Amino acid sequence: MMAADQPMHGVPPSLSAKVVGSFAYLTVKDRLPTILTKVIDTIHRNKNKFFEEYGEEGITAEKQTISLLSKMRNELQTDKPVLALTDGLGKDIDYWNQYLQRQQGVQGDQESVSWFKSPWLYVECYMYRRIQEAVWLNPPINDYDVFNEGKTQSFFESQQAVMTLCTYLEGVNKNMEETSKSQLLEHFNKLLKVSLWGNKCDLSISAGQDNSQKTSPIDSLNSLEPFILVDDSNMVWSTLISAQRQGQSGKTTSGRVDIVLDNAGFELVTDLVLADFLVASGLAREIHFHGKSFPWFVSDVTANDFQWTIKQTMAANHKWMSKSGVQWQSYLKEGVWSYHDHPFWTLPHEFCDMAADAPDLYATLQGADLVLFKGDLNYRKLTGDREWDHTVGFDTALRGFGPAPLCSLRTLKANIQVGLQPGQAMKLCSQDPDWMTSGKYAVVQFYSPNSEQ
Ligand SMILES: O=P(O)(O)OC[C@H]1O[C@](O)(CO)[C@@H](O)[C@@H]1O
Ligand SMILES: [Mn+2]
């Protein structure tokens, strides 16, 4: 495993809060402490609930969790060294502690691996792991999801948009038999873009503020088109088409699509709707969803969120929404859809480390015909969260990561972007200085290992 920021020929340094005034700096200085304060507040507000469930033990656990979190907030704000994990509870602990040791080797000594001096990707991931450590160390509240309230709220606030989307899906699926290939392509493009823009709705960029979808997701698509900086959706389409094979019986079978999920709430619904369409249209045979094994980056999907969302959709008091939920549940039951998690998704590693550090996960992804990576954090990990020139190719920034044809569906919320045309970034900078962090722009960026010479 390479530690981040290791000097390597031609590979730029990691983004870091050590660059005063940078987006990384502002995130570590302001946004992360705000998130931590909200977590502390949430736990405190739920004190009575813990008491009702567990009595005095619940209250003691609440106090101890808060004290560990306040301690961490203080370490962060005073730029203290990153500490080894102590919970001994996750399968991931050795990976985290080895990563820290390597960072110490790269950055010089123990002192220098601190919150502001280390790679941003590393310390930001580490904060979420330390939140989990504080919770895990405190039974009986150790299975409490500190971000659950925000995730469920964002789902309920997007109800109108979810209903619109499920109604649209019903219209598409109902006429599938008579759909021509060009109509199919049109539906595919729409639902891929809905899933793309669904990524605007994460809760971590807004430090937990309301960020739900209020307008019709289908109607907004045309006006959003100019904000897509790279659009490789035609390559995603052709990958799906070329994965279709004629079976012996003359029946066509299609490929497997893996979706590396990002946020719960509206974004997850857009991903489920896309997955439903891919199966119903025969563009995919099987969908594997990948989520997080513990609460992560405020709004990311865990197994619990995944099941909860499908149950809520089933139980909705809206004909097409509940029909969709029932369909999704049966896809899961039949194994057409499956949900997976792996500790690697909640490690700080760049994805180019996956083949060496999580070979089982890499091999799993190799079984897919297409892997869709949702969201900003996945993009940061795909590209290593490094100071790449904007015109560097996506393939270069992936640094050998390519288990299968892959596509990033991401709205820009961090100052990294590769694969742009010469001059494109300069123009954006002059029109809209916040273009990389506002979530207003997006990319559909594709790479296939099969097209390598
Ligand atoms: O949910 P997403 O799209 O991965 O976004 C996570 C957000 O958190 C950040 O890491 C910022 O703290 C950004 O990269 C991004 O804005
Ligand atoms: Mn997220």
Side-chain angles (χ1 to χ4, degrees):
M1 172 184 65
M2 289 286 193
D5 220 9
Q6 197 145 355
M8 282 163 287
H9 185 68
V11 179
S14 308
L15 298 174
S16 166
K18 69 182 165 209
V19 181
V20 176
S22 66
F23 188 68
Y25 171 80
L26 295 172
T27 298
V28 177
K29 182 172 143 307
D30 301 326
R31 210 136 41 86
L32 300 189
T34 306
I35 290 172
L36 273 175
T37 303
K38 285 208 169 140
V39 170
I40 292 173
D41 199 59
T42 304
I43 297 174
H44 192 61
R45 256 191 304 102
N46 280 280
K47 199 173 163 180
N48 290 343
K49 178 180 115 94
F50 298 140
F51 183 71
E52 277 156 29
E53 278 176 41
Y54 311 110
E56 280 305 325
E57 259 189 273
I59 300 286
T60 312
E62 176 254 353
K63 283 208 184 89
Q64 273 168 11
T65 312
I66 291 181
S67 126
L68 289 176
L69 292 172
S70 311
K71 183 176 160 284
M72 172 180 31
R73 185 176 52 188
N74 187 267
E75 289 165 24
L76 184 163
Q77 290 183 310
T78 54
D79 195 22
K80 292 284 182 312
V82 166
L83 305 176
L85 294 172
T86 55
D87 59 38
L89 295 169
K91 290 186 247 167
D92 58 345
I93 199 147
D94 292 343
Y95 284 95
W96 277 101
N97 292 342
Q98 272 165 25
Y99 202 88
L100 171 60
Q101 278 174 9
R102 279 169 206 255
Q103 255 338 111
Q104 289 166 346
V106 172
Q107 288 178 234
D109 56 35
Q110 211 163 328
E111 287 299 300
S112 58
V113 185
S114 67
W115 288 84
F116 282 77
K117 292 187 211 86
S118 305
W120 170 32
L121 178 63
Y122 173 44
V123 293
E124 194 170 21
C125 291
Y126 173 76
M127 180 186 86
Y128 290 95
R129 182 59 179 82
R130 282 279 302 270
I131 295 176
Q132 200 50 34
E133 179 185 58
V135 174
W136 275 340
L137 283 173
N138 284 294
I141 67 165
N142 51 337
D143 61 356
Y144 182 66
D145 177 347
V146 296
F147 299 121
N148 185 260
E149 289 179 0
K151 289 186 277 193
T152 53
Q153 193 187 343
S154 111
F155 175 82
F156 288 125
E157 280 168 358
S158 312
Q159 286 300 287
Q160 199 50 52
V162 172
M163 288 173 196
T164 310
L165 203 52
C166 291
T167 309
Y168 178 81
L169 179 68
E170 166 66 21
V172 169
N173 284 354
K174 183 175 72 192
N175 299 316
M176 201 60 93
E177 300 280 275
E178 296 93 61
T179 308
S180 67
K181 198 147 182 193
S182 71
Q183 282 169 325
L184 200 65
L185 174 59
E186 202 179 305
H187 296 320
F188 165 78
N189 268 321
K190 285 203 169 130
L191 292 175
L192 190 77
K193 299 289 163 61
V194 168
S195 164
L196 168 68
W197 290 112
N199 181 243
K200 244 184 169 167
C201 303
D202 83 280
L203 294 174
S204 121
I205 189 82
S206 56
Q209 291 298 316
D210 168 28
N211 217 357
S212 53
Q213 174 76 26
K214 302 252 166 38
T215 52
S216 161
I218 303 284
D219 295 347
S220 340
L221 287 179
N222 278 341
S223 60
L224 290 169
E225 203 61 33
F227 297 97
I228 303 180
L229 304 178
V230 177
D231 189 353
D232 292 338
S233 38
N234 57 340
M235 292 190 233
V236 180
W237 170 262
S238 37
T239 301
L240 291 171
I241 299 297
S242 55
Q244 296 183 325
R245 301 257 172 282
Q246 207 80 32
Q248 278 167 343
S249 59
K251 235 181 112 203
T252 316
T253 60
S254 349
R256 186 184 112 193
V257 176
D258 283 30
I259 306 182
V260 183
L261 295 168
D262 186 3
N263 303 304
F266 182 68
E267 180 171 0
L268 174 58
V269 176
T270 66
D271 301 333
L272 297 171
V273 166
L274 174 64
D276 185 330
F277 165 75
L278 291 176
V279 171
S281 62
L283 284 166
R285 170 191 89 242
E286 209 179 307
I287 312 279
H288 289 200
F289 295 97
H290 300 268
K292 308 295 192 294
S293 28
F294 59 80
W296 185 249
F297 276 71
V298 187
S299 37
D300 284 19
V301 178
T302 61
N304 205 17
D305 301 325
F306 189 80
Q307 284 156 9
W308 181 88
T309 304
I310 294 180
K311 292 243 155 62
Q312 288 298 318
T313 310
M314 280 169 78
N317 191 12
H318 179 274
K319 193 172 173 192
W320 306 128
M321 192 171 156
S322 63
K323 188 181 170 195
S324 300
V326 170
Q327 179 62 262
W328 300 346
Q329 187 75 315
S330 72
Y331 280 148
L332 284 171
K333 213 166 145 217
E334 294 157 9
V336 177
W337 284 10
S338 51
Y339 178 89
H340 308 259
D341 48 31
H342 189 286
F344 187 80
W345 301 123
T346 42
L347 286 174
H349 300 57
E350 311 172 39
F351 288 163
C352 64
D353 292 336
M354 189 193 287
D357 287 326
D360 56 331
L361 179 61
Y362 197 82
T364 302
L365 296 182
Q366 282 178 315
D369 294 281
L370 171 70
V371 186
L372 297 176
F373 285 93
K374 293 296 316 282
D376 195 73
L377 178 64
N378 277 327
Y379 192 81
R380 291 174 58 194
K381 289 185 164 188
L382 283 165
T383 55
D385 211 36
R386 293 173 178 277
E387 294 173 20
W388 296 105
D389 276 352
H390 297 304
T391 51
V392 156
F394 188 37
D395 54 344
T396 306
L398 286 167
R399 295 178 55 218
F401 178 70
L406 61 91
C407 182
S408 160
L409 299 174
R410 171 236 186 179
T411 61
L412 279 64
K413 301 172 210 158
N415 51 337
I416 172 155
Q417 182 57 55
V418 298
L420 297 185
Q421 299 302 317
Q424 197 178 358
M426 210 144 53
K427 196 162 155 221
L428 284 159
C429 276
S430 66
Q431 287 168 348
D432 208 341
D434 291 339
W435 66 281
M436 275 191 286
T437 52
S438 60
K440 197 168 135 190
Y441 294 87
V443 293
V444 178
Q445 205 158 25
F446 178 84
Y447 166 77
S448 172
N450 308 334
S451 57
E452 297 271 280
Q453 298 301 311

